[in-house]
Amino acid sequence: MEVIPMRKALYLIFAVIALCVASCSGSASRYNKELCDAERLIQTNTDSALLVLEAIDPSDLKIDSLKAKYHFLKAYGHMKQNRSMIGDSLIGFAHNYYRNIDKVRGVRSGIAFAWYKFWVGDTPGAISMLDSLAGLPDVPDSIMMQTLRIRVLLGASEYQGYPLIPYAKRLMALETDSLRKIEAKYMLLTGYEYAGEMDSALHLVDELVDYARTHNMGDKQFMFELERAQLLTEAGRNQESNHTVTEIFRKAGPDNGAADYLQFQYAINALNTGDIRAASHHLALADSIASSLRRDDDAYFRSYSNLLHAMIVFKQTGRIKLIYINGLNNRRSERYNRMKASQWESERGALQQQSRALGLKAESEHKTVIILVVSLVALLICGIAAWLIIIRRRREQENEERIEALQKMVDEYKSVPESGKEELKDSSALRVVMLRQLGIIKMVAETPTEQNREMLRKISSIEGETDGELVDWKNVFEMIDNLYSGFYKKLHFKYGDILTPKEEQIIVLMLAGFSTKEISVITGQTTSTIYVRKTSIRKKLGVPEKEDIVEFLRKNIKS
């Protein structure tokens, strides 16, 4: 009987473990689904993908595959949106995870890692990583094009010439969109320019001008013609450059958006030909136009203008004017400070966002702890209440079983005619004697129900002295010996040193034909205890499992 609650407890433990495993598995499955949704959206709707990612707390991701996917998608989304990547340092972990197991994610995470390096100021490191990605075999063209676009862009920012040319050519060959192909050709032109290959650069710019003119792309044509004027100057063809600038003014008017740069080009050409007066005149016009056209946003133009001013003054006087050198330095310092301020602002924004996320997480964890404690207290209270109810029900059940057994014994006793009671033999006689000796009042008083009071009325005439026990065991043993050929004496002689008095009582009652419930009533023990003692008796006496204990003893104590 005691095995059942233990078995139930084990089942409960296994159920809780299974529930925890299922919960963890369910959480991992939910996060994986959300990350898959974000990955599906990242190319077409990056904002929505980032919103999905922001709803995930990365500290909850315990599996490396989920952590790698989260940090990869977040950094990749920031790169596509040209947003701050200060907080994306774990893109390196994602790239290391993917590079040997998933080529597509490996290259894309590598691109994001390179962009992160560029963002934090490590442009050479970014270019080196892109070079390694561009050398990988069997990469889909769509992903390789993205790699090459960023590679040539960063190469141009570092004024690369010959190293840039092969990547730009490869990109131009892969591009299928006409506008993208034009951009790739322009980057190739830049590579030729930085490499000093002016003839190749001019050939490409002529192609670009013709394409823009044919396709009515006015803004592009304007930009390419301005580029052509600058390339002619670089090639030492100053008159042709002036002619190109004049044509631009004729087509776009004197007040076009690049008038200051066009006047600046005149000034450079004049300076190259030794016409200092013309150079000074055109530079003054360029400064005036830039001041009114660009107002406070003329730092980029001024960085060139100050240098040209210093050169003109040197040509005129043979002296270097520090005012222009300082101005050039100040403009560059302003640009650097603005860039650093922007970076610091991005870092601060990222830290504030991270701080808010940590605060929300701490608040959520605090609430979770409170809920958990309250739940545990409630569970403990419910458990105690359930345990008390179980104990009470067991006691009630045991009392009912005792009353039922007593009722049966009383009924058997009452059914015997008065004249025949003295002539009862064997177990029936023993039941009568035992019933007379029972301390009924003591037992039933523990549960004073109406049923018990009725029981007391039925057996109120029973008397006997039991010395604190419910029965007088000395008399019981004597009667057992009389009825069953000295069974108790033989039992006690042979096994008295290994059997307890309670076990001997149970054995003689079993011999007399009492049921387990009746034995529990007579001995004042629970039925579960009787079962345990029977098992103990079987082990002590060496009774085979399928053999009856009483039959075994009858065979073994005959002599």
Side-chain angles (χ1 to χ4, degrees), residues 341-438:
S342 176
Q343 184 175 342
W344 290 336
E345 186 65 28
S346 297
E347 291 177 2
R348 188 175 68 173
L351 289 173
Q352 287 177 344
Q353 186 176 4
Q354 201 172 31
S355 177
R356 284 195 297 270
L358 289 173
L360 290 173
K361 182 182 178 183
E363 183 179 350
S364 175
E365 289 178 349
H366 181 67
K367 291 179 180 178
T368 302
V369 169
I370 293 176
I371 293 171
L372 184 61
V373 170
V374 172
S375 300
L376 287 174
V377 171
L379 186 62
L380 182 62
I381 292 173
C382 291
I384 293 173
W387 180 251
L388 293 175
I389 291 171
I390 290 171
I391 292 175
R392 182 176 177 182
R393 290 191 63 182
R394 280 185 181 174
R395 287 178 178 175
E396 290 176 354
Q397 185 177 4
E398 289 171 359
N399 287 331
E400 289 174 0
E401 290 174 351
R402 290 182 180 184
I403 291 169
E404 182 183 350
L406 284 171
Q407 182 67 56
K408 182 179 178 182
M409 294 167 69
V410 170
D411 290 342
E412 289 178 358
Y413 176 70
K414 294 294 184 182
S415 65
V416 178
E418 289 294 329
S419 59
K421 285 183 180 179
E422 298 299 330
E423 300 173 359
L424 291 174
K425 301 295 182 183
D426 300 336
S427 63
S428 297
L430 182 60
R431 287 171 183 269
V432 172
V433 172
M434 201 164 290
L435 185 61
R436 287 174 176 172
Q437 295 184 22
L438 286 173

Side-chain angles (χ1 to χ4, degrees), residues 3 31 93 131 133 208 213 226 287 359 369 390 420 446 481 483 485 505 512 514 528 538-539 543 547 559:
V3 178
Y31 285 132
F93 164 79
D131 286 345
L133 295 175
L208 292 172
R213 184 188 301 113
L226 179 56
D287 287 342
V369 169
I390 290 171
E446 296 176 1
D481 284 336
L483 293 174
S485 305
Q505 294 169 10
F514 283 89
S528 59
R538 187 178 291 277
K539 289 181 179 179
V543 182
E547 188 170 351
S559 55

Side-chain angles (χ1 to χ4, degrees), residues 78-328:
H78 289 162
M79 181 190 73
K80 283 181 66 67
Q81 295 292 81
N82 200 25
R83 288 166 58 176
S84 170
M85 295 186 72
I86 296 298
D88 292 318
S89 59
L90 286 177
I91 182 59
F93 164 79
H95 177 60
N96 287 333
Y97 179 84
Y98 283 126
R99 64 180 179 179
N100 294 322
I101 63 173
D102 188 323
K103 178 157 288 187
V104 172
R105 289 188 181 130
V107 174
R108 282 181 171 161
S109 61
I111 294 171
F113 194 19
W115 196 249
Y116 166 78
K117 286 175 175 289
F118 171 72
W119 187 267
V120 298
D122 184 13
T123 303
I127 291 175
S128 177
M129 170 158 283
L130 292 167
D131 286 345
S132 66
L133 295 175
L136 293 175
D138 304 323
V139 177
D141 287 350
S142 59
I143 301 176
M144 183 54 70
M145 283 189 288
Q146 189 177 15
T147 305
L148 294 172
R149 285 170 195 156
I150 298 177
R151 172 61 183 86
V152 297
L153 179 66
L154 295 186
S157 72
E158 291 291 291
Y159 304 102
Q160 287 186 344
Y162 288 113
L164 179 64
I165 292 172
Y167 293 112
K169 284 183 176 180
R170 188 176 169 191
L171 177 61
M172 193 169 67
L174 287 175
E175 293 286 13
T176 55
D177 180 79
S178 57
L179 289 179
R180 287 283 192 181
K181 192 175 284 290
I182 290 296
E183 291 175 1
K185 184 175 286 191
Y186 183 78
M187 298 308 294
L188 178 58
L189 180 155
T190 303
Y192 280 132
E193 181 181 1
Y194 293 152
E197 298 285 343
M198 294 304 161
D199 289 340
S200 298
L202 284 167
H203 176 72
L204 286 179
V205 81
D206 287 341
E207 289 182 359
L208 292 172
V209 170
D210 291 340
Y211 181 88
R213 184 188 301 113
T214 303
H215 291 81
N216 296 317
M217 301 167 65
D219 290 342
K220 292 287 185 183
Q221 182 181 345
F222 180 91
M223 183 186 75
F224 294 146
E225 287 180 344
L226 179 56
E227 183 73 27
R228 186 174 187 276
Q230 293 171 350
L231 288 173
L232 287 168
T233 298
E234 288 294 311
R237 296 155 64 175
N238 298 295
Q239 294 302 321
E240 291 180 61
S241 176
N242 283 338
H243 178 71
T244 301
V245 172
T246 302
E247 282 297 306
I248 295 173
F249 270 123
R250 185 181 66 79
K251 294 174 183 176
D255 298 325
N256 62 76
D260 49 348
Y261 286 104
L262 292 169
Q263 291 292 344
F264 188 80
Q265 195 66 44
Y266 273 143
I268 292 176
N269 291 332
L271 190 60
N272 284 338
T273 57
D275 192 347
I276 305 303
R277 181 176 179 183
S280 180
H281 170 72
H282 287 296
L283 186 56
L285 287 175
D287 287 342
S288 175
I289 294 170
S291 178
S292 60
L293 186 65
R294 308 186 189 281
R295 299 185 183 277
D296 295 333
D297 192 28
D298 67 340
Y300 184 76
F301 175 82
R302 290 292 181 184
S303 65
Y304 290 99
S305 175
N306 283 330
L307 178 60
L308 202 59
H309 273 293
M311 294 173 67
I312 290 172
V313 170
F314 179 76
K315 286 283 189 180
Q316 290 174 335
T317 64
R319 296 170 55 199
I320 295 292
K321 297 276 290 189
L322 287 178
I323 185 172
Y324 296 116
I325 301 299
N326 290 336
L328 175 62

Side-chain angles (χ1 to χ4, degrees), residues 31 56-63 67 70-71 357-358 361 365:
Y31 285 132
I56 298 175
D57 185 349
S59 63
D60 292 336
L61 304 176
K62 308 302 181 185
I63 303 173
K67 288 163 58 177
Y70 172 84
H71 292 296
L358 289 173
K361 182 182 178 183
E365 289 178 349

Side-chain angles (χ1 to χ4, degrees), residues 14-46:
F14 289 144
V16 171
I17 293 173
L19 184 63
C20 292
V21 171
S23 175
C24 294
S25 176
S27 297
S29 177
R30 176 173 62 84
Y31 285 132
N32 186 57
K33 181 181 180 303
E34 291 174 355
L35 290 171
C36 287
D37 290 341
E39 188 169 27
R40 179 175 48 82
L41 292 169
I42 200 75
Q43 297 295 337
T44 57
N45 194 340
T46 309

